[in-house]
Amino acid sequence: MLLKVNRKIKWLLISGGAFVAIFLILNVLFPLKTAIDYSTIIVDKRGEVIHGFLSKDDKWRMMTELQEISPTLRRAIVHKEDRFFYYHPGFNPISILRAFYNNLRTGRRTSGASTITMQVARLLEPKERSYGNKLVELFRALQLEWKYSKDEILQLYLNLVPYGGNIEGVKAAAIIFFEKSPNQLSLAEVTALALVPNRPTSLALGKNNTLIQEERDRLLARFRDKGLFPDRDIVDALEEDLAIRRNEVPRRAPHLAYRLKSNFGNQPIISSTIELQTQQTVEALVSNYVNRLYHRNIKNAAVLVVDNSTNEVKAYVGSADFNNDEDGGQVDGVRAIRSPGSTLKPLLYGVAIDRGSITPKTVIADVPTSFGNYAPENYDEKFYGNVNIEYSLSNSLNVPAVKVLDRIGVNELITTLRNADFSKIDDDADKLGLSMVLGGCGVTLEQLTRLYSAFAADGVLSELHYTKMEEEPDTLSIISAEANYMITEILLKVTRPDLPLQWQNSANLPRVAWKTGTSYGRRDAWSIGYNRNYTIGVWVGNFSAQGVPELAGATTAAPLLFRVFNAIDQNSAREWFVAPEELDIRFVCSETGMPANDFCTNQIMDYFIPGVSPNEKCNHLRPVYVNADATESYCTTCLPATGYKVVHYHNHAPEIITWFESENITYLKPPPHNPLCERVFVEGPPSITSPIDGLEYYVNKEDSMQLMLSADVNNDVDKVFWYIDDKFYQSTIATENVFFSPKAGRVKISCTDDKGRNSNIFIEVKAVSL
């Protein structure tokens, strides 16, 4: 007896071993293919679907993640489809024998024996129903059980189960018919979805809702009889009406969605950093705002919102209406290359502060100035004389900015922007000049917003995050924390011309540091702002690059910036940035912004960086020896032994004197120099401002075209003498312009002042027929 038992055990072991061996061989020869072509979906920071794309075979087949399979969904599906799912090896022998017997007895298929695992096998490899294919299903079911856990097999089932039309999977059905994720479905909704896969035609969601509700109530009654859910939950589910209709798949943040899909290929779920509520709010603000501007021929806008604590992008609006083909709605305004207007000025001044060139109170002359063949003008076509850097930046003056760039060198700014990944500036580096700080270069809203987010981080630049899966990148300090704080304090000021009229004296004006910009031809309006919590970039304009007279950063972009701040950050703490420990304060002369001298009576406080900021003493006054009635001045060569006194006169630069004279602004001049003095002066010769040295000038052969002669001179000069090709031409008072008719060829122009100081330039004149 014992021998027979041992033989049976041995036979079973051999049979079992043979079965396993055969299975393993077949598993190698016929591997299981579970690659599923999912629809790509973009989800927000909390996992909500914000945008979906059809699969390659045009199906809505969204991947349900394990954590989205709620206990309610699991129990309902398993009880409905396969009560012994967690106990069998992929097939249920009893169910198979019962189905085989019933089918044999009746001569037709009256009941099935497919488990959830077998259904997954059939959904992965659809085949005609036959006994041979059923054996293949059994083999594939064993492979599934060998490779995956029960929960993973259930996940595959929920991802593939049909719901009619081109909808497959519980997640796609939940999103499309209930506008919810699977783990947010109620018991009533879960029960309805459990019914459909077996009858997707007769129980079509959104069409046969009455029948679906009747069948749902029957299934809920079975759940109650089996004690599957608490009675209270069953009662609530029975009372819940099914308002099922087919909805559009979410299409939020379309520009970012297409960008992420392009970057991550066919990844089924791309987890973005977007906050759905913030995205919806900003999209609505942009759409409504552009609708109000549309009659003025301003048809588009783009906004980027960055969380300063994480550098994550919370809202990404590439255009006012993605579906508006007429106005280029599918153009991504966040990445479109545009002229930045004045938005690079804060960076320029920050770099100049770190180079020891300026401080906020440094005074610079805002007067007509030529840099070779480039003569910048201010936005309002006015000049303001001596102004400090703080005033220049808060009022966005152009001439001071170009002067500062000329002082530190164009390459300094180009290098900084290159390091900050301004790709177009890197490409065009050899072509860029002084005009780049006024918009003569190409940037994107993304690059500018990232740059300003560095201003919100003590001058430290970091990559913007669009997805949660991105690694923490390296950081780069583009300006020091000290220079950054000075710039931020200037940009915080509200007494400035780019504050929109409707926001002046408004209690709703958000506390932000901001800068506006308007490109040449009024094609682009910018406003970029930041506080402790957010950095927000705004661009307004037309993707066609059509200029609009009413388009300006202050009046067109800034109002939208303030609206976005108020909408998403209205309850934020009123904390502001703290001054770095290395930043110090000193008294400077208000006339120059330089450390005060003994004669400086009007002193103001100014930030400075010890060991970096300029330390030269103020020289806005210079002592002049004059006679008793101050009608004649002396130098050390002709100074008499007695009868003189020392008077301090303003030490104005020649360009300021020229501007004073042109604007009829009175100023105190030193008296004429002693005519009997024999000294020859060499310092401070005239600076010829017209014509421009080294340029070519074209004159009409048939017309007596004239060129203007002008020069900047020191305030001790009364008269200048002009020479053409070393021949005397004309004498005039120092500030008067002279005209002459040039001959063709190389022309030498000389200017000598009444102190004997001389300057020469050369120009090339070409005669042409016009």
Side-chain angles (χ1 to χ4, degrees):
M1 183 66 180
L2 182 60
L3 183 60
K4 291 183 178 180
V5 172
N6 289 336
R7 286 178 178 174
K8 289 181 179 179
I9 294 174
K10 185 178 180 180
W11 183 84
L12 288 173
L13 290 174
I14 294 173
S15 300
F19 177 82
V20 171
I22 293 171
F23 170 77
L24 292 176
I25 293 172
L26 292 175
N27 188 53
V28 173
L29 295 176
F30 304 99
L32 179 67
K33 297 178 181 179
T34 56
I36 300 172
D37 177 24
Y38 287 111
S39 303
T40 297
I41 57 173
I42 315 295
V43 300
D44 79 341
K45 190 175 179 67
R46 295 178 176 82
E48 296 290 329
V49 177
I50 60 173
H51 201 101
F53 296 91
L54 285 166
S55 64
K56 292 178 181 178
D57 56 353
D58 293 328
K59 297 289 183 67
W60 288 117
R61 187 187 296 116
M62 303 178 188
M63 180 178 175
T64 305
E65 297 183 276
L66 284 172
Q67 63 267 27
E68 292 182 298
I69 304 174
S70 65
T72 299
L73 177 60
R74 180 183 290 105
R75 283 199 295 269
I77 292 293
V78 170
H79 185 83
K80 166 72 170 54
E81 293 296 327
D82 185 0
R83 285 180 295 167
F84 301 102
F85 171 67
Y86 284 98
Y87 305 102
H88 60 62
F91 61 93
N92 189 331
I94 297 175
S95 297
I96 291 177
L97 291 174
R98 184 181 64 246
F100 180 75
Y101 172 77
N102 290 335
N103 295 344
L104 189 63
R105 182 173 57 85
T106 60
R108 58 188 178 88
R109 185 177 182 273
T110 58
S111 64
S114 293
T115 61
I116 286 178
T117 311
M118 293 172 67
Q119 290 184 62
V120 171
R122 186 166 60 248
L123 291 168
L124 287 171
E125 295 182 8
K127 298 179 185 297
E128 292 183 0
R129 292 181 182 273
S130 68
Y131 288 110
N133 288 336
K134 183 63 70 174
L135 290 175
V136 174
E137 275 183 30
L138 284 170
F139 171 65
R140 294 300 189 197
L142 290 172
Q143 286 182 300
L144 285 166
E145 295 282 348
W146 176 271
K147 186 175 182 179
Y148 297 105
S149 68
K150 286 292 187 179
D151 285 343
E152 289 172 332
I153 293 171
L154 179 62
Q155 180 189 19
L156 285 171
Y157 173 78
L158 294 176
N159 286 333
L160 295 170
V161 66
Y163 280 95
N166 67 338
I167 302 172
E168 293 183 6
V170 165
K171 187 164 187 172
I175 294 294
I176 293 173
F177 293 110
F178 298 107
E179 297 181 306
K180 296 179 181 179
S181 296
N183 55 349
Q184 298 172 336
L185 294 170
S186 68
L187 176 57
E189 292 163 340
V190 164
T191 307
L193 290 181
L195 289 164
V196 176
N198 298 126
R199 300 163 59 187
T201 302
S202 61
L203 297 180
L205 292 165
K207 296 181 179 178
N208 302 330
N209 290 351
T210 302
L211 180 58
I212 292 173
Q213 186 158 338
E214 292 173 357
E215 294 295 326
R216 179 208 69 181
D217 292 348
R218 291 192 185 95
L219 185 54
L220 284 170
R222 285 170 50 191
F223 290 164
R224 179 173 53 195
D225 295 340
K226 296 293 184 180
L228 201 63
F229 299 102
D231 288 345
R232 182 67 261 176
D233 293 350
I234 297 292
V235 171
D236 290 342
L238 289 169
E239 293 177 352
E240 183 177 330
D241 287 331
L242 283 182
I244 304 175
R245 64 184 180 87
R246 179 160 183 161
N247 303 286
E248 291 293 325
V249 173
R251 299 283 186 175
R252 297 291 181 187
H255 298 89
L256 177 61
Y258 277 94
R259 176 176 179 173
L260 294 180
K261 190 174 190 300
S262 174
N263 290 345
F264 293 95
N266 295 316
Q267 188 169 309
I269 301 176
I270 301 174
S271 299
S272 76
T273 58
I274 295 294
E275 287 182 349
L276 180 57
Q277 184 175 354
T278 303
Q279 179 71 26
Q280 291 173 323
T281 299
V282 177
E283 283 182 359
L285 284 172
V286 171
S287 177
N288 293 336
Y289 190 74
V290 170
N291 284 341
R292 290 196 294 272
L293 297 178
Y294 204 86
H295 71 282
R296 292 157 58 184
N297 207 31
I298 301 172
K299 300 178 179 179
N300 248 306
V303 175
L304 194 66
V305 178
V306 177
D307 184 334
N308 291 333
S309 64
T310 60
N311 270 81
E312 293 179 345
V313 172
K314 298 302 178 186
Y316 187 118
V317 180
S319 68
D321 182 0
F322 183 81
N323 297 315
N324 185 344
D325 294 332
E326 181 180 349
D327 298 320
Q330 294 183 16
V331 175
D332 188 351
V334 172
R335 294 196 289 173
I337 296 175
R338 315 292 298 190
S339 166
S342 298
T343 54
L344 294 179
K345 288 177 182 175
L347 178 64
L348 164 68
Y349 288 126
V351 171
I353 290 172
D354 279 335
R355 300 302 179 271
S357 180
I358 60 172
T359 64
K361 299 299 183 184
T362 297
V363 172
I364 197 163
D366 178 34
V367 295
T369 309
S370 294
F371 302 86
N373 61 347
Y374 178 52
E377 292 184 344
N378 290 321
Y379 181 78
D380 58 5
E381 299 181 350
K382 298 178 182 179
F383 297 94
Y384 296 88
N386 281 328
V387 294
N388 61 37
I389 295 299
E390 182 180 283
Y391 182 90
S392 299
L393 178 54
S394 61
N395 288 269
S396 199
L397 300 182
N398 291 338
V399 175
V402 176
K403 284 187 172 182
V404 170
L405 181 56
D406 185 56
R407 185 182 299 181
I408 68 170
V410 172
N411 283 336
E412 282 283 351
L413 185 59
I414 290 176
T415 299
T416 303
L417 290 169
R418 270 177 165 166
N419 293 337
D421 298 326
F422 280 68
S423 55
K424 184 62 176 174
I425 288 176
D426 189 27
D427 294 341
D428 297 340
D430 295 338
K431 309 172 188 176
L432 298 175
L434 294 172
S435 66
M436 67 178 294
V437 75
L438 306 184
C441 56
V443 304
T444 67
L445 177 61
E446 179 179 39
Q447 292 166 345
L448 283 177
T449 307
R450 180 182 174 226
L451 174 65
Y452 277 69
S453 73
F455 296 155
D458 293 331
V460 177
L461 186 72
S462 299
E463 289 291 341
L464 300 183
H465 297 311
Y466 294 97
T467 64
K468 294 195 292 185
M469 58 200 72
E470 291 172 331
E471 296 181 0
E472 192 65 30
D474 295 332
T475 58
L476 171 70
S477 178
I478 53 171
I479 58 175
S480 69
E482 294 77 24
N484 189 84
Y485 185 80
M486 297 185 213
I487 296 301
T488 295
E489 287 297 287
I490 296 173
L491 296 181
L492 178 63
K493 295 184 179 300
V494 295
T495 53
R496 49 200 266 193
D498 61 347
L499 178 64
L501 183 63
Q502 65 268 37
W503 290 90
Q504 294 178 10
N505 302 317
S506 171
N508 295 322
L509 180 66
R511 190 182 190 205
V512 296
W514 89 97
K515 181 72 183 75
T516 61
T518 307
S519 67
Y520 178 77
R522 295 179 180 266
R523 296 181 175 91
D524 308 279
W526 303 88
S527 190
I528 323 288
Y530 59 95
N531 62 12
R532 295 276 295 193
N533 297 330
Y534 294 100
T535 298
I536 300 174
V538 172
W539 171 85
V540 180
N542 295 310
F543 290 133
S544 64
Q546 179 183 4
V548 180
E550 294 87 357
L551 191 68
T555 57
T556 314
L560 180 55
L561 174 74
F562 296 151
R563 283 182 171 88
V564 175
F565 263 112
N566 280 343
I568 71 172
D569 200 34
Q570 57 183 342
N571 296 319
S572 66
R574 304 295 286 179
E575 295 180 3
W576 196 244
F577 302 95
V578 178
E581 291 183 2
E582 296 298 318
L583 186 64
D584 210 341
I585 297 176
R586 66 185 178 187
F587 282 98
V588 297
C589 177
S590 64
E591 298 284 343
T592 61
M594 301 166 68
N597 217 320
D598 295 337
F599 48 72
C600 298
T601 57
N602 187 13
Q603 299 182 22
I604 55 176
M605 295 179 68
D606 187 22
Y607 288 115
F608 79 106
I609 307 174
V612 175
S613 298
N615 278 319
E616 183 183 353
K617 290 284 188 178
C618 176
N619 60 356
H620 85 277
L621 294 179
R622 66 184 181 94
V624 177
Y625 298 108
V626 298
N627 58 10
D629 56 359
T631 58
E632 191 172 273
S633 63
Y634 305 107
C635 64
T636 54
T637 301
C638 64
L639 183 66
T642 60
Y644 69 88
K645 61 182 179 179
V646 177
V647 177
H648 283 85
Y649 290 89
H650 273 280
N651 191 22
H652 294 302
E655 59 183 351
I656 280 289
I657 294 172
T658 301
W659 184 69
F660 282 165
E661 296 290 346
S662 66
E663 297 294 317
N664 296 316
I665 298 173
T666 59
Y667 63 99
L668 185 61
K669 301 180 183 179
H673 193 69
N674 177 13
L676 302 178
C677 181
E678 298 180 352
R679 176 184 173 186
V680 175
F681 293 82
V682 294
E683 296 179 353
S687 174
I688 300 175
T689 58
S690 178
I692 296 172
D693 188 23
L695 289 191
E696 291 183 348
Y697 289 84
Y698 294 85
V699 296
N700 189 354
K701 289 180 179 179
E702 303 167 357
D703 190 6
S704 58
M705 185 180 296
Q706 293 188 317
L707 296 180
M708 184 178 73
L709 301 174
S710 65
D712 290 341
V713 297
N714 287 334
N715 59 0
D716 60 351
V717 174
D718 295 316
K719 200 171 187 179
V720 295
F721 305 86
W722 291 97
Y723 297 82
I724 308 297
D725 288 329
D726 296 323
K727 294 181 181 179
F728 177 73
Y729 178 69
Q730 186 175 334
S731 63
T732 180
I733 61 173
T735 57
E736 184 177 340
N737 296 326
V738 178
F739 294 87
F740 80 106
S741 299
K743 64 178 183 179
R746 183 175 170 83
V747 179
K748 178 182 179 182
I749 299 173
S750 306
C751 181
T752 304
D753 65 21
D754 54 14
K755 301 295 184 295
R757 295 168 292 203
N758 180 75
S759 293
N760 302 312
I761 66 166
F762 293 88
I763 63 172
E764 192 74 27
V765 177
K766 295 184 178 180
V768 295
S769 298
L770 301 177

